[in-house]
Each structure stands twice: as C-alpha cells, then as structure tokens.
Tab-separated table of all heavy atoms in Angstrom:
chain	number	residue	atom	x	y	z
A	1	MET	N	239.634	-63.756	36.786
A	1	MET	CA	239.407	-62.765	35.761
A	1	MET	C	238.383	-63.341	34.774
A	1	MET	O	238.420	-64.514	34.460
A	1	MET	CB	240.728	-62.447	35.050
A	1	MET	CG	240.572	-61.571	33.846
A	1	MET	SD	242.114	-61.205	32.986
A	1	MET	CE	242.901	-60.169	34.190
A	2	LYS	N	237.524	-62.522	34.286
A	2	LYS	CA	236.528	-62.963	33.315
A	2	LYS	C	237.144	-63.004	31.914
A	2	LYS	O	238.022	-62.210	31.586
A	2	LYS	CB	235.330	-62.040	33.347
A	2	LYS	CG	234.604	-62.106	34.693
A	2	LYS	CD	233.243	-61.496	34.618
A	2	LYS	CE	232.562	-61.510	35.960
A	2	LYS	NZ	232.214	-62.797	36.444
A	3	LEU	N	236.664	-63.943	31.094
A	3	LEU	CA	237.204	-64.092	29.742
A	3	LEU	C	237.089	-62.805	28.940
A	3	LEU	O	237.991	-62.470	28.174
A	3	LEU	CB	236.498	-65.224	28.998
A	3	LEU	CG	236.999	-66.626	29.267
A	3	LEU	CD1	236.178	-67.635	28.468
A	3	LEU	CD2	238.462	-66.771	28.923
A	4	GLY	N	236.007	-62.087	29.100
A	4	GLY	CA	235.831	-60.834	28.378
A	4	GLY	C	236.913	-59.823	28.710
A	4	GLY	O	237.443	-59.149	27.828
A	5	GLU	N	237.246	-59.728	29.987
A	5	GLU	CA	238.307	-58.807	30.415
A	5	GLU	C	239.655	-59.249	29.863
A	5	GLU	O	240.438	-58.432	29.397
A	5	GLU	CB	238.352	-58.745	31.941
A	5	GLU	CG	239.392	-57.791	32.472
A	5	GLU	CD	239.466	-57.759	33.989
A	5	GLU	OE1	238.579	-58.325	34.655
A	5	GLU	OE2	240.431	-57.171	34.499
A	6	LEU	N	239.915	-60.546	29.906
A	6	LEU	CA	241.174	-61.073	29.373
A	6	LEU	C	241.283	-60.785	27.881
A	6	LEU	O	242.327	-60.329	27.401
A	6	LEU	CB	241.276	-62.567	29.647
A	6	LEU	CG	242.547	-63.252	29.161
A	6	LEU	CD1	243.788	-62.665	29.815
A	6	LEU	CD2	242.461	-64.750	29.425
A	7	ALA	N	240.209	-61.024	27.141
A	7	ALA	CA	240.225	-60.766	25.700
A	7	ALA	C	240.497	-59.294	25.416
A	7	ALA	O	241.277	-58.959	24.521
A	7	ALA	CB	238.898	-61.198	25.080
A	8	THR	N	239.878	-58.416	26.194
A	8	THR	CA	240.104	-56.978	26.017
A	8	THR	C	241.560	-56.623	26.264
A	8	THR	O	242.176	-55.900	25.478
A	8	THR	CB	239.186	-56.165	26.961
A	8	THR	OG1	237.827	-56.461	26.630
A	8	THR	CG2	239.442	-54.679	26.845
A	9	ARG	N	242.127	-57.135	27.334
A	9	ARG	CA	243.528	-56.840	27.661
A	9	ARG	C	244.493	-57.367	26.605
A	9	ARG	O	245.534	-56.771	26.351
A	9	ARG	CB	243.897	-57.423	29.020
A	9	ARG	CG	243.278	-56.683	30.173
A	9	ARG	CD	243.743	-57.244	31.487
A	9	ARG	NE	243.094	-56.576	32.586
A	9	ARG	CZ	243.603	-56.535	33.804
A	9	ARG	NH1	244.740	-57.149	34.075
A	9	ARG	NH2	242.957	-55.910	34.755
A	10	LEU	N	244.132	-58.509	26.011
A	10	LEU	CA	244.997	-59.105	24.983
A	10	LEU	C	244.721	-58.551	23.590
A	10	LEU	O	245.452	-58.842	22.654
A	10	LEU	CB	244.811	-60.632	24.956
A	10	LEU	CG	245.254	-61.392	26.196
A	10	LEU	CD1	244.887	-62.866	26.067
A	10	LEU	CD2	246.749	-61.228	26.414
A	11	GLY	N	243.654	-57.782	23.445
A	11	GLY	CA	243.262	-57.306	22.128
A	11	GLY	C	242.802	-58.457	21.248
A	11	GLY	O	243.014	-58.455	20.047
A	12	ALA	N	242.165	-59.446	21.877
A	12	ALA	CA	241.757	-60.662	21.180
A	12	ALA	C	240.257	-60.665	20.905
A	12	ALA	O	239.489	-60.034	21.617
A	12	ALA	CB	242.119	-61.883	22.023
A	13	GLU	N	239.868	-61.398	19.886
A	13	GLU	CA	238.455	-61.607	19.602
A	13	GLU	C	237.977	-62.772	20.461
A	13	GLU	O	238.596	-63.831	20.461
A	13	GLU	CB	238.265	-61.962	18.129
A	13	GLU	CG	236.843	-62.290	17.762
A	13	GLU	CD	236.699	-62.760	16.324
A	13	GLU	OE1	237.673	-62.680	15.554
A	13	GLU	OE2	235.603	-63.239	15.995
A	14	LEU	N	236.901	-62.577	21.173
A	14	LEU	CA	236.343	-63.624	22.030
A	14	LEU	C	235.144	-64.247	21.345
A	14	LEU	O	234.228	-63.545	20.926
A	14	LEU	CB	235.929	-63.055	23.384
A	14	LEU	CG	235.226	-64.026	24.336
A	14	LEU	CD1	236.150	-65.174	24.720
A	14	LEU	CD2	234.736	-63.297	25.565
A	15	ARG	N	235.154	-65.557	21.267
A	15	ARG	CA	234.000	-66.307	20.763
A	15	ARG	C	233.557	-67.222	21.886
A	15	ARG	O	234.095	-68.308	22.055
A	15	ARG	CB	234.383	-67.119	19.537
A	15	ARG	CG	234.795	-66.262	18.376
A	15	ARG	CD	235.103	-67.075	17.170
A	15	ARG	NE	235.656	-66.222	16.136
A	15	ARG	CZ	236.156	-66.672	15.015
A	15	ARG	NH1	236.164	-67.963	14.773
A	15	ARG	NH2	236.635	-65.841	14.129
A	16	GLY	N	232.645	-66.755	22.679
A	16	GLY	CA	232.196	-67.533	23.827
A	16	GLY	C	231.644	-66.627	24.910
A	16	GLY	O	231.340	-65.460	24.668
A	17	ASP	N	231.560	-67.156	26.109
A	17	ASP	CA	230.958	-66.490	27.254
A	17	ASP	C	231.933	-65.518	27.903
A	17	ASP	O	232.871	-65.926	28.586
A	17	ASP	CB	230.508	-67.542	28.266
A	17	ASP	CG	229.779	-66.962	29.460
A	17	ASP	OD1	229.677	-65.718	29.575
A	17	ASP	OD2	229.320	-67.760	30.285
A	18	ALA	N	231.702	-64.237	27.717
A	18	ALA	CA	232.581	-63.201	28.266
A	18	ALA	C	232.572	-63.183	29.786
A	18	ALA	O	233.505	-62.689	30.416
A	18	ALA	CB	232.177	-61.829	27.729
A	19	ASN	N	231.535	-63.730	30.406
A	19	ASN	CA	231.416	-63.717	31.858
A	19	ASN	C	232.024	-64.931	32.539
A	19	ASN	O	232.026	-65.020	33.765
A	19	ASN	CB	229.945	-63.579	32.260
A	19	ASN	CG	229.423	-62.206	31.923
A	19	ASN	OD1	230.060	-61.201	32.209
A	19	ASN	ND2	228.279	-62.161	31.285
A	20	LEU	N	232.550	-65.850	31.765
A	20	LEU	CA	233.165	-67.047	32.335
A	20	LEU	C	234.433	-66.673	33.104
A	20	LEU	O	235.287	-65.949	32.583
A	20	LEU	CB	233.492	-68.041	31.222
A	20	LEU	CG	233.899	-69.440	31.642
A	20	LEU	CD1	232.773	-70.129	32.410
A	20	LEU	CD2	234.245	-70.261	30.412
A	21	GLU	N	234.533	-67.113	34.337
A	21	GLU	CA	235.676	-66.802	35.204
A	21	GLU	C	236.798	-67.803	34.962
A	21	GLU	O	236.577	-69.008	34.962
A	21	GLU	CB	235.232	-66.864	36.666
A	21	GLU	CG	236.242	-66.345	37.650
A	21	GLU	CD	236.360	-64.825	37.658
A	21	GLU	OE1	235.380	-64.137	37.335
A	21	GLU	OE2	237.440	-64.341	38.002
A	22	VAL	N	238.009	-67.298	34.725
A	22	VAL	CA	239.183	-68.164	34.590
A	22	VAL	C	240.159	-67.845	35.708
A	22	VAL	O	240.301	-66.704	36.121
A	22	VAL	CB	239.867	-68.026	33.210
A	22	VAL	CG1	239.004	-68.595	32.115
A	22	VAL	CG2	240.238	-66.604	32.899
A	23	THR	N	240.799	-68.893	36.217
A	23	THR	CA	241.686	-68.704	37.364
A	23	THR	C	243.112	-69.170	37.107
A	23	THR	O	243.962	-68.999	37.968
A	23	THR	CB	241.139	-69.454	38.589
A	23	THR	OG1	241.020	-70.841	38.266
A	23	THR	CG2	239.787	-68.904	39.011
A	24	GLY	N	243.368	-69.772	35.942
A	24	GLY	CA	244.714	-70.261	35.706
A	24	GLY	C	244.981	-70.533	34.241
A	24	GLY	O	244.100	-70.452	33.393
A	25	VAL	N	246.242	-70.855	33.971
A	25	VAL	CA	246.710	-71.215	32.632
A	25	VAL	C	247.398	-72.555	32.753
A	25	VAL	O	248.269	-72.734	33.617
A	25	VAL	CB	247.711	-70.170	32.082
A	25	VAL	CG1	248.211	-70.572	30.712
A	25	VAL	CG2	247.102	-68.784	32.076
A	26	LYS	N	246.999	-73.510	31.913
A	26	LYS	CA	247.613	-74.841	31.948
A	26	LYS	C	247.793	-75.370	30.539
A	26	LYS	O	247.184	-74.862	29.594
A	26	LYS	CB	246.759	-75.811	32.755
A	26	LYS	CG	246.751	-75.515	34.234
A	26	LYS	CD	246.116	-76.614	35.013
A	26	LYS	CE	246.173	-76.250	36.504
A	26	LYS	NZ	245.328	-77.112	37.301
A	27	GLY	N	248.593	-76.401	30.424
A	27	GLY	CA	248.792	-77.071	29.152
A	27	GLY	C	247.486	-77.648	28.642
A	27	GLY	O	246.566	-77.923	29.422
A	28	ILE	N	247.413	-77.859	27.365
A	28	ILE	CA	246.165	-78.272	26.738
A	28	ILE	C	245.592	-79.565	27.302
A	28	ILE	O	244.391	-79.729	27.396
A	28	ILE	CB	246.337	-78.345	25.205
A	28	ILE	CG1	244.985	-78.368	24.531
A	28	ILE	CG2	247.202	-79.520	24.802
A	28	ILE	CD1	245.024	-78.004	23.083
A	29	GLU	N	246.447	-80.482	27.722
A	29	GLU	CA	245.963	-81.757	28.253
A	29	GLU	C	245.639	-81.693	29.744
A	29	GLU	O	244.890	-82.522	30.245
A	29	GLU	CB	246.967	-82.864	27.981
A	29	GLU	CG	247.110	-83.151	26.485
A	29	GLU	CD	248.071	-84.263	26.190
A	29	GLU	OE1	249.283	-84.000	26.109
A	29	GLU	OE2	247.588	-85.399	26.044
A	30	GLU	N	246.190	-80.720	30.457
A	30	GLU	CA	245.982	-80.606	31.897
A	30	GLU	C	244.898	-79.596	32.263
A	30	GLU	O	244.389	-79.603	33.381
A	30	GLU	CB	247.274	-80.170	32.604
A	30	GLU	CG	248.412	-81.159	32.501
A	30	GLU	CD	249.187	-81.039	31.200
A	30	GLU	OE1	249.173	-79.953	30.580
A	30	GLU	OE2	249.792	-82.036	30.781
A	31	ALA	N	244.550	-78.708	31.355
A	31	ALA	CA	243.623	-77.616	31.653
A	31	ALA	C	242.237	-78.126	32.032
A	31	ALA	O	241.744	-79.096	31.467
A	31	ALA	CB	243.518	-76.682	30.445
A	32	GLY	N	241.636	-77.433	32.988
A	32	GLY	CA	240.291	-77.756	33.446
A	32	GLY	C	239.328	-76.629	33.125
A	32	GLY	O	239.700	-75.648	32.470
A	33	PRO	N	238.104	-76.697	33.599
A	33	PRO	CA	237.059	-75.740	33.246
A	33	PRO	C	237.263	-74.304	33.727
A	33	PRO	O	236.534	-73.414	33.307
A	33	PRO	CB	235.794	-76.335	33.855
A	33	PRO	CG	236.209	-77.460	34.705
A	33	PRO	CD	237.625	-77.792	34.415
A	34	SER	N	238.245	-74.058	34.577
A	34	SER	CA	238.520	-72.676	34.983
A	34	SER	C	239.895	-72.209	34.493
A	34	SER	O	240.399	-71.177	34.932
A	34	SER	CB	238.427	-72.529	36.506
A	34	SER	OG	239.426	-73.300	37.135
A	35	ASP	N	240.483	-72.940	33.551
A	35	ASP	CA	241.797	-72.608	32.998
A	35	ASP	C	241.679	-72.202	31.535
A	35	ASP	O	240.741	-72.574	30.844
A	35	ASP	CB	242.731	-73.831	33.056
A	35	ASP	CG	242.966	-74.333	34.458
A	35	ASP	OD1	243.271	-73.507	35.334
A	35	ASP	OD2	242.855	-75.555	34.670
A	36	ILE	N	242.679	-71.455	31.085
A	36	ILE	CA	242.824	-71.218	29.654
A	36	ILE	C	244.074	-71.954	29.200
A	36	ILE	O	244.948	-72.290	30.005
A	36	ILE	CB	242.912	-69.720	29.303
A	36	ILE	CG1	244.109	-69.059	29.990
A	36	ILE	CG2	241.632	-69.002	29.642
A	36	ILE	CD1	244.404	-67.672	29.482
A	37	THR	N	244.150	-72.227	27.928
A	37	THR	CA	245.303	-72.881	27.326
A	37	THR	C	245.528	-72.240	25.969
A	37	THR	O	244.810	-71.309	25.589
A	37	THR	CB	245.077	-74.408	27.231
A	37	THR	OG1	246.310	-75.052	26.896
A	37	THR	CG2	244.002	-74.764	26.224
A	38	PHE	N	246.522	-72.707	25.222
A	38	PHE	CA	246.756	-72.151	23.898
A	38	PHE	C	247.204	-73.246	22.944
A	38	PHE	O	247.683	-74.298	23.348
A	38	PHE	CB	247.805	-71.029	23.938
A	38	PHE	CG	249.208	-71.531	24.106
A	38	PHE	CD1	250.024	-71.734	22.995
A	38	PHE	CD2	249.713	-71.815	25.355
A	38	PHE	CE1	251.322	-72.213	23.155
A	38	PHE	CE2	251.001	-72.287	25.521
A	38	PHE	CZ	251.807	-72.487	24.416
A	39	VAL	N	247.019	-72.976	21.662
A	39	VAL	CA	247.490	-73.854	20.602
A	39	VAL	C	248.170	-72.977	19.568
A	39	VAL	O	247.570	-72.021	19.083
A	39	VAL	CB	246.332	-74.634	19.946
A	39	VAL	CG1	246.830	-75.461	18.782
A	39	VAL	CG2	245.631	-75.515	20.955
A	40	ALA	N	249.413	-73.302	19.250
A	40	ALA	CA	250.139	-72.558	18.230
A	40	ALA	C	250.404	-73.412	16.993
A	40	ALA	O	250.581	-72.881	15.908
A	40	ALA	CB	251.466	-72.054	18.810
A	41	ASN	N	250.411	-74.722	17.163
A	41	ASN	CA	250.736	-75.639	16.079
A	41	ASN	C	249.468	-76.366	15.627
A	41	ASN	O	248.811	-77.012	16.439
A	41	ASN	CB	251.778	-76.641	16.575
A	41	ASN	CG	252.331	-77.506	15.474
A	41	ASN	OD1	251.632	-77.874	14.551
A	41	ASN	ND2	253.594	-77.850	15.588
A	42	PRO	N	249.134	-76.298	14.336
A	42	PRO	CA	247.925	-76.965	13.842
A	42	PRO	C	247.883	-78.465	14.133
A	42	PRO	O	246.814	-79.058	14.161
A	42	PRO	CB	247.964	-76.712	12.331
A	42	PRO	CG	248.812	-75.506	12.159
A	42	PRO	CD	249.817	-75.555	13.285
A	43	ARG	N	249.015	-79.065	14.401
A	43	ARG	CA	249.023	-80.505	14.693
A	43	ARG	C	248.275	-80.811	16.001
A	43	ARG	O	247.898	-81.944	16.253
A	43	ARG	CB	250.471	-81.006	14.696
A	43	ARG	CG	250.945	-81.696	15.901
A	43	ARG	CD	252.329	-82.249	15.807
A	43	ARG	NE	253.268	-81.326	15.196
A	43	ARG	CZ	254.561	-81.437	15.251
A	43	ARG	NH1	255.112	-82.439	15.874
A	43	ARG	NH2	255.345	-80.556	14.673
A	44	TYR	N	248.037	-79.801	16.836
A	44	TYR	CA	247.334	-79.995	18.102
A	44	TYR	C	245.850	-79.610	18.028
A	44	TYR	O	245.186	-79.505	19.047
A	44	TYR	CB	248.029	-79.224	19.221
A	44	TYR	CG	249.424	-79.737	19.460
A	44	TYR	CD1	250.525	-79.039	18.994
A	44	TYR	CD2	249.631	-80.937	20.114
A	44	TYR	CE1	251.813	-79.528	19.177
A	44	TYR	CE2	250.909	-81.436	20.308
A	44	TYR	CZ	251.997	-80.725	19.832
A	44	TYR	OH	253.256	-81.214	20.018
A	45	THR	N	245.333	-79.415	16.830
A	45	THR	CA	243.933	-79.045	16.660
A	45	THR	C	242.993	-80.059	17.294
A	45	THR	O	242.013	-79.694	17.942
A	45	THR	CB	243.603	-78.864	15.166
A	45	THR	OG1	244.449	-77.837	14.636
A	45	THR	CG2	242.144	-78.470	14.963
A	46	ALA	N	243.280	-81.345	17.135
A	46	ALA	CA	242.414	-82.378	17.714
A	46	ALA	C	242.358	-82.239	19.235
A	46	ALA	O	241.286	-82.375	19.825
A	46	ALA	CB	242.896	-83.768	17.313
A	47	LEU	N	243.498	-81.963	19.870
A	47	LEU	CA	243.507	-81.764	21.324
A	47	LEU	C	242.725	-80.510	21.704
A	47	LEU	O	242.055	-80.476	22.737
A	47	LEU	CB	244.937	-81.664	21.854
A	47	LEU	CG	245.715	-82.966	21.949
A	47	LEU	CD1	247.166	-82.698	22.341
A	47	LEU	CD2	245.068	-83.905	22.942
A	48	ALA	N	242.796	-79.480	20.877
A	48	ALA	CA	242.057	-78.248	21.158
A	48	ALA	C	240.555	-78.508	21.159
A	48	ALA	O	239.818	-77.878	21.900
A	48	ALA	CB	242.413	-77.175	20.135
A	49	ARG	N	240.121	-79.444	20.349
A	49	ARG	CA	238.690	-79.761	20.288
A	49	ARG	C	238.220	-80.590	21.478
A	49	ARG	O	237.035	-80.621	21.768
A	49	ARG	CB	238.382	-80.504	19.000
A	49	ARG	CG	238.469	-79.636	17.782
A	49	ARG	CD	237.973	-80.365	16.551
A	49	ARG	NE	238.020	-79.463	15.423
A	49	ARG	CZ	238.756	-79.669	14.343
A	49	ARG	NH1	239.481	-80.758	14.226
A	49	ARG	NH2	238.745	-78.789	13.370
A	50	THR	N	239.133	-81.255	22.164
A	50	THR	CA	238.737	-82.133	23.268
A	50	THR	C	239.205	-81.643	24.635
A	50	THR	O	238.890	-82.264	25.640
A	50	THR	CB	239.261	-83.567	23.040
A	50	THR	OG1	240.687	-83.541	22.960
A	50	THR	CG2	238.677	-84.170	21.781
A	51	THR	N	239.945	-80.537	24.674
A	51	THR	CA	240.426	-80.027	25.954
A	51	THR	C	239.259	-79.673	26.865
A	51	THR	O	238.171	-79.335	26.405
A	51	THR	CB	241.344	-78.798	25.756
A	51	THR	OG1	241.867	-78.417	27.033
A	51	THR	CG2	240.610	-77.615	25.153
A	52	LYS	N	239.497	-79.734	28.145
A	52	LYS	CA	238.484	-79.363	29.132
A	52	LYS	C	238.642	-77.897	29.552
A	52	LYS	O	237.963	-77.421	30.444
A	52	LYS	CB	238.579	-80.286	30.337
A	52	LYS	CG	238.349	-81.745	29.955
A	52	LYS	CD	237.689	-82.514	31.032
A	52	LYS	CE	237.489	-83.968	30.729
A	52	LYS	NZ	237.135	-84.347	29.410
A	53	ALA	N	239.566	-77.176	28.901
A	53	ALA	CA	239.828	-75.771	29.214
A	53	ALA	C	238.603	-74.903	28.950
A	53	ALA	O	237.786	-75.197	28.079
A	53	ALA	CB	240.997	-75.257	28.375
A	54	ALA	N	238.514	-73.816	29.708
A	54	ALA	CA	237.439	-72.845	29.511
A	54	ALA	C	237.588	-72.136	28.173
A	54	ALA	O	236.599	-71.780	27.537
A	54	ALA	CB	237.448	-71.820	30.636
A	55	ALA	N	238.841	-71.933	27.738
A	55	ALA	CA	239.105	-71.226	26.482
A	55	ALA	C	240.450	-71.648	25.934
A	55	ALA	O	241.336	-72.060	26.683
A	55	ALA	CB	239.089	-69.716	26.706
A	56	VAL	N	240.573	-71.501	24.628
A	56	VAL	CA	241.819	-71.831	23.932
A	56	VAL	C	242.250	-70.591	23.162
A	56	VAL	O	241.506	-70.077	22.327
A	56	VAL	CB	241.626	-73.007	22.949
A	56	VAL	CG1	242.932	-73.328	22.248
A	56	VAL	CG2	241.085	-74.239	23.665
A	57	LEU	N	243.443	-70.100	23.463
A	57	LEU	CA	243.994	-68.960	22.726
A	57	LEU	C	244.659	-69.483	21.461
A	57	LEU	O	245.448	-70.431	21.517
A	57	LEU	CB	245.030	-68.227	23.571
A	57	LEU	CG	244.530	-67.600	24.865
A	57	LEU	CD1	245.704	-67.056	25.666
A	57	LEU	CD2	243.527	-66.508	24.581
A	58	VAL	N	244.340	-68.861	20.332
A	58	VAL	CA	244.930	-69.245	19.054
A	58	VAL	C	245.270	-67.990	18.258
A	58	VAL	O	244.720	-66.915	18.501
A	58	VAL	CB	243.985	-70.142	18.222
A	58	VAL	CG1	243.733	-71.473	18.913
A	58	VAL	CG2	242.678	-69.448	17.912
A	59	ASP	N	246.130	-68.146	17.282
A	59	ASP	CA	246.465	-67.088	16.346
A	59	ASP	C	245.225	-66.776	15.511
A	59	ASP	O	244.434	-67.686	15.224
A	59	ASP	CB	247.616	-67.579	15.450
A	59	ASP	CG	248.110	-66.501	14.532
A	59	ASP	OD1	249.010	-65.750	14.919
A	59	ASP	OD2	247.570	-66.422	13.399
A	60	PRO	N	245.025	-65.531	15.105
A	60	PRO	CA	243.840	-65.201	14.303
A	60	PRO	C	243.708	-66.035	13.020
A	60	PRO	O	242.603	-66.244	12.535
A	60	PRO	CB	244.026	-63.723	13.962
A	60	PRO	CG	244.903	-63.196	15.035
A	60	PRO	CD	245.814	-64.342	15.410
A	61	ASP	N	244.804	-66.516	12.477
A	61	ASP	CA	244.768	-67.309	11.248
A	61	ASP	C	244.551	-68.794	11.506
A	61	ASP	O	244.459	-69.573	10.555
A	61	ASP	CB	246.069	-67.120	10.461
A	61	ASP	CG	246.244	-65.683	9.996
A	61	ASP	OD1	245.222	-65.012	9.737
A	61	ASP	OD2	247.395	-65.228	9.899
A	62	PHE	N	244.484	-69.193	12.758
A	62	PHE	CA	244.297	-70.599	13.102
A	62	PHE	C	242.903	-71.043	12.665
A	62	PHE	O	241.949	-70.273	12.764
A	62	PHE	CB	244.452	-70.792	14.617
A	62	PHE	CG	244.774	-72.195	15.039
A	62	PHE	CD1	246.073	-72.659	14.994
A	62	PHE	CD2	243.779	-73.041	15.461
A	62	PHE	CE1	246.378	-73.947	15.392
A	62	PHE	CE2	244.068	-74.340	15.848
A	62	PHE	CZ	245.382	-74.795	15.817
A	63	GLN	N	242.803	-72.286	12.210
A	63	GLN	CA	241.486	-72.772	11.765
A	63	GLN	C	240.481	-72.757	12.912
A	63	GLN	O	240.842	-72.818	14.077
A	63	GLN	CB	241.602	-74.171	11.184
A	63	GLN	CG	241.875	-75.258	12.224
A	63	GLN	CD	242.043	-76.619	11.578
A	63	GLN	OE1	242.748	-76.762	10.610
A	63	GLN	NE2	241.401	-77.612	12.142
A	64	GLU	N	239.214	-72.672	12.566
A	64	GLU	CA	238.135	-72.616	13.550
A	64	GLU	C	238.113	-73.892	14.387
A	64	GLU	O	238.203	-74.990	13.864
A	64	GLU	CB	236.796	-72.457	12.820
A	64	GLU	CG	235.608	-72.320	13.714
A	64	GLU	CD	235.500	-70.958	14.369
A	64	GLU	OE1	236.040	-69.982	13.818
A	64	GLU	OE2	234.867	-70.863	15.419
A	65	ILE	N	238.014	-73.715	15.701
A	65	ILE	CA	237.872	-74.860	16.611
A	65	ILE	C	236.759	-74.539	17.590
A	65	ILE	O	236.410	-73.391	17.793
A	65	ILE	CB	239.168	-75.175	17.394
A	65	ILE	CG1	239.620	-73.975	18.226
A	65	ILE	CG2	240.253	-75.693	16.494
A	65	ILE	CD1	240.721	-74.272	19.193
A	66	THR	N	236.236	-75.565	18.211
A	66	THR	CA	235.270	-75.392	19.284
A	66	THR	C	235.773	-76.191	20.463
A	66	THR	O	235.918	-77.413	20.378
A	66	THR	CB	233.879	-75.900	18.867
A	66	THR	OG1	233.463	-75.189	17.711
A	66	THR	CG2	232.868	-75.687	19.959
A	67	ALA	N	236.097	-75.512	21.567
A	67	ALA	CA	236.545	-76.208	22.780
A	67	ALA	C	235.350	-76.911	23.392
A	67	ALA	O	234.253	-76.378	23.443
A	67	ALA	CB	237.151	-75.211	23.761
A	68	ALA	N	235.542	-78.107	23.869
A	68	ALA	CA	234.468	-78.959	24.345
A	68	ALA	C	233.485	-78.286	25.310
A	68	ALA	O	232.292	-78.305	25.084
A	68	ALA	CB	235.046	-80.238	24.953
A	69	PRO	N	233.934	-77.686	26.448
A	69	PRO	CA	232.964	-77.160	27.399
A	69	PRO	C	232.284	-75.867	26.960
A	69	PRO	O	231.306	-75.461	27.552
A	69	PRO	CB	233.792	-76.929	28.660
A	69	PRO	CG	235.186	-76.834	28.215
A	69	PRO	CD	235.286	-77.610	26.932
A	70	CYS	N	232.788	-75.201	25.951
A	70	CYS	CA	232.239	-73.899	25.571
A	70	CYS	C	231.522	-73.938	24.232
A	70	CYS	O	231.331	-72.913	23.611
A	70	CYS	CB	233.370	-72.877	25.509
A	70	CYS	SG	234.174	-72.632	27.073
A	71	ALA	N	231.171	-75.102	23.766
A	71	ALA	CA	230.564	-75.223	22.428
A	71	ALA	C	229.289	-74.433	22.307
A	71	ALA	O	228.606	-74.140	23.205
A	71	ALA	CB	230.300	-76.689	22.120
C-alpha cells in the first residue's frame, strides 16, 4: 500500500513521499525501509529520529520529527 493511501484511510496528515510503498508494520527498532512504525511516548523521540522505517505514525500533538530515510 502506498503511504498516501494509508494516510487517507487513517485521516492522517502525511509529511513525505505519498508514493512510497509500505508492506508491513514493525516495532521502531526492527522496522525497515518498507515498514511503518509508531511512537506514542515522547521518551522514544530519539529512536523515531534514527529508525529505518519508511514512516512513523505519531499523534498530531507529537513534536516534529524526521525519520532517517525520509528526511
């Protein structure tokens, strides 16, 4: 599924490449370039910045982050 389609289905704001294909969901430390992950606790912000995930789902109030491969 493309990130743009996923964002639309979730009613989420996408900041990144809408055409990027994702094939799975994994934990923040295990995620690879075709996976998405999520962060709910601000204590994991540093991991969100270094994850290899294609995208990181966060709450709208979560501080701004940039995932490594999608900067």
Side-chain angles (χ1 to χ4, degrees):
M1 172 181 291
K2 295 195 183 292
L3 277 179
E5 182 182 349
L6 181 61
T8 299
R9 288 184 183 203
L10 295 175
E13 176 185 351
L14 175 63
R15 296 183 187 172
D17 184 356
N19 291 313
L20 191 62
E21 190 74 28
V22 291
T23 58
V25 179
K26 290 190 179 167
I28 197 162
E29 294 181 275
E30 296 83 24
S34 64
D35 300 312
I36 60 169
T37 192
F38 75 95
V39 176
N41 188 325
R43 125 176 44 165
Y44 297 103
T45 301
L47 285 174
R49 289 188 177 119
T50 60
T51 185
K52 300 213 182 322
V56 180
L57 297 173
V58 296
D59 185 89
D61 296 329
F62 201 82
Q63 71 183 47
E64 183 75 25
I65 59 170
T66 302
C70 298

